[in-house]
Amino acid sequence: MPELMRAVTATGFGGPDVLGIDYVPTPVPRYGEVLIRVAFAGVNRPDALQRAGAYPPPPGASPLMGLECSGHIAALGRGVTGWQVGDAVCALLPGGGYATHAVTSQHQVLPVPSGLSMAEAACLPETCFTVWSNVVMRGGLSAGERFLVHGGSSGIGTTAIQIATALGARVFATAGSAVKCAACADLGAEAIQYRENDFVEILRAEGGAHLILDMVGGSYIPRNLRALADDGRLVQIAVLESPSAEVSFAEIMMRRLTVTGSTLRRQTPVQKAHIAQEVLAHVWPMIDAGHLRPVMDRVFAMDDAAEAHRRMEASDHIGKMALQMPED
Ligand SMILES: NC(=O)c1ccc[n+]([C@@H]2O[C@H](COP(=O)([O-])OP(=O)(O)OC[C@H]3O[C@@H](n4cnc5c(N)ncnc54)[C@H](OP(=O)(O)O)[C@@H]3O)[C@@H](O)[C@H]2O)c1
């Protein structure tokens, strides 16, 4: 293994211009970990937050950005069973995906689904783990329910639409432009252009949402509660607008609403391993059956990570972006 590897590094916290390429020590897999020779790394909104200093990596994780990747197993730590050097995989990472090599727990590694490219496979773990754990394990979505996802054209949103549709739910999705709404509709959602239409009115006219997956927060929180059917569930996965809102707990009580949420990165290795097993058992068959495929926006060269972050922060993208690592 080379002692040094190429990685996307940052000169400090700030805008995309702080990003550059440097040589850093290649990580060594510890007990139960594998080393992956990264082919592609998925780009996620939390990467941009980490770059800006608003989302520090958890203790013990790589200081590099990158929460998911595809590639081939390059080395095994002690105690690893079930994986061989050379296996084509995709993996959820504690960080460190923006590099030619990355380490992660053997229990957060999944096989590359057949029929998907390595670029597509890199874009699966973060969104599939997040959507399955929040929409199904936490939110309990079942067939026939009305499901609303905000940010419908995002990496998370496009995955949530496809998984919820495959589960037999009636899916509504909000998005900020006609083009983004068309992308949501292509995936099977009833799209709501939120700058022109009130999602609360639309959902209430249909009897309310049984489940809402929200990443906006702020002013959306009381509106989400109003858009829920009695006994409905709100699952919060991010607070892009604001973490705070004034809500009536009388409404929660009288209409038996459930408000919950989670973040993936802070969960324990045991919890992540459990989600990985669920994703392998339930989401990978959806991919095999043709019900789910990552919506790919663009693939950037590793050297162009700053450009990918600019595109994400301008919200110009639809679906997922990935970085391609050099082969040498
Ligand atoms: N809890 C977890 O474990 C977890 C895991 C992964 C990601 N996340 C979060 O989930 C969200 C989606 O992630 P992603 O990687 O799919 O990101 P993304 O593609 O950039 O999605 C963000 C979307 O939110 C919409 N949006 C609505 N209001 C917004 C606002 N006030 N500011 C910015 N965007 C707004 C944007 O579309 P419009 O143009 O339609 O507004 C955009 O499509 C992110 O906030 C991310 O941090 C949470």
Side-chain angles (χ1 to χ4, degrees), residues 5-36:
M5 64 170 185
R6 265 198 276 177
V8 177
T9 55
T11 52
F13 297 133
D17 291 344
V18 300
L19 299 181
I21 304 289
D22 209 344
Y23 282 88
V24 300
T26 305
V28 176
R30 294 170 297 193
Y31 186 89
E33 288 182 340
V34 298
L35 177 72
I36 299 171

Side-chain angles (χ1 to χ4, degrees), residues 43-46 49 55 67 126-127 130 133-134 150-157 174-177 180 194-195 214-216 220 236-242 261-265 267 312-321:
V43 176
N44 292 284
R45 176 81 52 162
L49 296 174
Y55 193 56
L67 299 172
E126 177 72 11
T127 49
T130 301
S133 62
N134 285 289
H150 293 298
S153 69
S154 67
I156 294 283
T174 61
S177 72
K180 289 184 172 185
Y194 66 79
R195 296 181 209 280
D214 184 36
M215 57 186 75
V216 181
Y220 270 39
Q236 202 72 42
I237 57 162
V239 285
L240 284 164
E241 183 187 300
S242 165
S262 75
T263 62
L264 184 57
R265 204 176 188 185
Q267 295 190 44
M312 172 154 281
E313 288 179 315
S315 275
D316 285 340
H317 64 294
I318 290 178
K320 295 280 303 194
M321 290 184 275

Side-chain angles (χ1 to χ4, degrees), residues 58-315:
S62 165
L64 300 172
M65 289 165 289
L67 299 172
E68 59 184 351
C69 75
S70 65
H72 292 87
I73 304 253
L76 306 175
R78 283 187 308 112
V80 171
T81 53
W83 296 111
Q84 304 293 331
V85 169
D87 285 348
V89 297
C90 56
L92 184 75
L93 308 172
Y98 283 24
T100 57
H101 296 75
V103 288
T104 194
S105 160
Q106 61 174 328
H107 301 302
Q108 290 171 212
V109 178
L110 295 170
V112 172
S114 60
L116 257 56
S117 67
M118 292 300 270
E120 289 173 309
C123 294
L124 289 171
E126 177 72 11
T127 49
C128 288
F129 278 56
T130 301
V131 170
W132 189 262
S133 62
N134 285 289
V135 170
V136 178
M137 296 167 71
R138 187 166 294 275
L141 184 67
S142 56
E145 289 195 312
R146 288 180 293 277
F147 169 64
L148 169 65
V149 57
H150 293 298
S153 69
S154 67
I156 294 283
T158 52
T159 304
I161 292 170
Q162 293 180 78
I163 289 179
T165 302
L167 289 169
R170 181 175 171 197
V171 181
F172 297 82
T174 61
S177 72
V179 174
K180 289 184 172 185
C181 281
C184 296
D186 279 350
L187 297 172
E190 295 172 51
I192 301 168
Q193 215 280 40
Y194 66 79
R195 296 181 209 280
E196 293 174 357
N197 300 291
D198 180 2
F199 70 83
V200 180
E201 268 176 32
I202 291 171
L203 265 298
R204 286 185 73 87
E206 298 294 337
H210 298 100
L211 177 67
I212 299 178
L213 183 69
D214 184 36
M215 57 186 75
V216 181
S219 62
Y220 270 39
I221 298 173
R223 295 178 70 206
N224 282 333
L225 297 184
R226 284 205 300 283
L228 284 174
D230 288 357
D231 296 297
R233 296 93 68 195
L234 168 63
V235 181
Q236 202 72 42
I237 57 162
V239 285
L240 284 164
E241 183 187 300
S242 165
S244 308
E246 193 170 312
V247 298
S248 162
F249 270 72
E251 184 176 11
I252 293 173
M253 190 172 67
M254 304 291 277
R255 298 180 51 226
R256 302 173 303 282
L257 306 179
T258 300
V259 179
T260 180
S262 75
T263 62
L264 184 57
R265 204 176 188 185
R266 293 179 63 87
Q267 295 190 44
T268 65
V270 171
Q271 288 168 317
K272 289 179 188 172
H274 179 51
I275 297 170
Q277 286 307 312
E278 287 268 319
V279 166
L280 186 63
H282 301 288
V283 180
W284 258 226
M286 289 179 178
I287 299 172
D288 291 341
H291 298 314
L292 170 64
R293 186 163 200 138
V295 173
M296 298 302 287
D297 181 76
R298 261 188 218 179
V299 176
F300 292 84
M302 177 196 211
D303 292 358
D304 297 327
E307 207 180 311
H309 277 211
R310 273 186 213 104
R311 185 166 172 78
M312 172 154 281
E313 288 179 315
S315 275

